[in-house]
Amino acid sequence: MVRREFFKVAAAAGLGTAAQNTGMAQTAVAGPAPFIEHATPGQPHKGKVFALITPHLDDGPIFAGGTVAKLLNEGYTGYFIRVSNDEKDSYSLTMGATVLANEQDAAHFVEVAGLKKRYDLHYRNHGLDDVSRMEIRVRLIFLFRLLKVDTVLSYDPWGHYEENPDHYVTAQAVEAACWMSADHLDFPEQFDAGLKVHSVSEKYYFARGPQMVNRVVDIGPTIRQKAAYIASCRTMITNMVKGTNDALTARGLRISAFAGNQEAANEAYIQAAFLDRDKRIGAKYGLEYAEEFHYIGPDRSLDDYIKTHAEHI
Ligand SMILES: [Zn+2]
């Protein structure tokens, strides 16, 4: 669950929550002006593969849904790797029913987005800091080599003030796996199964707290796709809406748009909590809607030398 987003909405509603005391808000760390990535016509990424890797179903749709849609529109083949089983994120279901409901929602998200396949690693939700990071890393390296992943989208392993261990453990495992999957001495037994070394060359990292932002993706053209992705996380969004309503009730308040028909209430909440936030981010860069990332691209440090010195053989 994106607990911080719940706090932000609750704070906006005048509810006394931790958000007001800790200043929790996505903030860009000062640095050079970021590169603005606009939609590209055609399918320039045809043949390339990305993996969205998050501990929880809703992380990707909420923080990178517009970019996921953009990359898919531009020809990428996409996979979703969900690291936890999301057993803690429902309003009133039992733990077993919560696992199933979020598993079904994850299948729905993959279908709505047009992703090729989902891999659930099924570690226990809220407990990733008690799992061997090496184990998660090896599983990711296997998948990066198997799927020939070129690009990843995940939490920023260097984002500040992240309170959820699932987020930072996943981020650290992803970052290490990206380069170790290219090393012939890391888990060489995988090569006997037909896999080959393969490095991940592009990374889009998002964060809930302050991070170095060097890339802003214009998601104006994909904002409706993003809204549909978030809506597919029905169990989680319903939990956020009902939790917000409970907090409002405790203060003697009510937001009529969040009450009544659940689909309509979820839609209103998605607009208020996420799409309006993306609009505020976009306004900083003269865009209608935007998502911010710390982007790491391919290593070009030898390009000039190669251009000057390389011979055809
Ligand atoms: Zn999460």
Side-chain angles (χ1 to χ4, degrees):
M1 178 185 182
V2 182
R3 188 163 155 261
R4 186 162 294 166
E5 292 302 330
F6 164 77
F7 281 141
K8 278 198 279 187
V9 169
L15 308 175
T17 71
Q20 290 169 312
N21 300 324
T22 59
M24 290 175 180
Q26 194 177 13
T27 310
V29 172
F35 175 81
I36 309 291
E37 181 178 321
H38 293 286
T40 314
Q43 299 230 306
H45 298 303
K46 199 158 182 58
K48 289 172 73 179
V49 173
F50 78 72
L52 170 67
I53 307 154
T54 56
H56 315 123
L57 168 61
D58 59 348
D59 301 320
I62 287 171
F63 291 106
T67 302
V68 164
K70 175 186 184 291
L71 298 181
L72 289 169
N73 293 348
E74 294 173 359
Y76 263 99
T77 297
Y79 294 90
F80 176 35
I81 301 172
R82 188 173 63 125
V83 180
S84 94
N85 65 357
D86 284 320
E87 71 188 27
K88 304 287 193 328
D89 201 340
S90 71
Y91 181 69
S92 56
L93 301 175
T94 65
M95 197 177 286
T98 300
V99 171
L100 180 60
N102 284 319
E103 188 176 75
Q104 289 168 337
D105 288 351
H108 187 49
F109 163 57
V110 166
E111 192 183 326
V112 167
L115 294 162
K116 189 166 182 184
K117 189 173 178 181
R118 180 183 97 254
Y119 293 88
D120 286 340
L121 304 191
H122 267 310
Y123 292 105
R124 294 195 67 179
N125 193 182
H126 293 175
L128 278 181
D129 50 341
D130 203 30
V131 175
S132 157
R133 289 177 205 209
M134 177 64 88
E135 181 181 306
I136 302 171
R137 188 194 303 164
V138 177
R139 295 182 76 179
L140 291 176
I141 288 171
F142 178 87
L143 287 170
F144 291 171
R145 288 172 173 170
L146 176 73
L147 305 173
K148 297 183 170 54
V149 173
D150 301 298
T151 301
V152 293
L153 300 100
S154 191
Y155 275 107
D156 189 341
W158 310 106
H160 300 302
Y161 308 113
E162 175 53 63
E163 67 186 354
N164 191 326
D166 290 358
H167 292 174
Y168 56 73
V169 169
T170 296
Q172 290 169 6
V174 168
E175 168 127 291
C178 280
W179 62 271
M180 286 188 204
S181 60
D183 192 317
H184 76 287
L185 294 177
D186 277 291
F187 317 109
E189 66 278 6
Q190 293 182 1
F191 306 132
D192 287 351
L195 301 182
K196 292 186 166 56
V197 291
H198 183 85
S199 65
V200 174
S201 54
E202 289 184 84
K203 300 159 198 164
Y204 290 81
Y205 289 146
F206 49 85
R208 302 195 297 171
Q211 68 170 155
M212 187 175 102
V213 173
N214 61 359
R215 180 159 297 223
V216 171
V217 177
D218 174 5
I219 61 164
T222 55
I223 194 69
R224 295 327 307 171
Q225 284 172 274
K226 172 169 186 167
Y229 296 177
I230 300 174
S232 69
C233 310
R234 191 178 187 284
T235 306
M236 295 183 174
I237 299 300
T238 299
N239 186 20
M240 293 180 208
V241 172
K242 291 190 170 180
T244 301
N245 285 340
D246 287 347
L248 286 165
T249 302
R251 304 272 299 177
L253 297 170
R254 179 176 182 272
I255 294 175
S256 59
F258 293 171
N261 175 276
Q262 195 62 52
E263 302 308 321
N266 286 8
E267 203 172 301
Y269 184 90
I270 290 166
Q271 182 68 47
F274 308 121
L275 306 190
D276 285 356
R277 173 208 58 193
D278 294 345
K279 188 178 268 190
R280 287 192 296 274
I281 293 171
K284 290 196 287 181
Y285 306 101
L287 301 169
E288 194 180 358
Y289 294 95
E291 288 169 346
E292 293 175 316
F293 296 94
H294 180 198
Y295 169 85
I296 300 173
D299 182 358
R300 304 279 189 212
S301 57
L302 269 180
D303 279 10
D304 287 345
Y305 187 88
I306 291 169
K307 200 183 286 181
T308 310
H309 294 86
E311 301 164 10
H312 286 287
I313 51 173

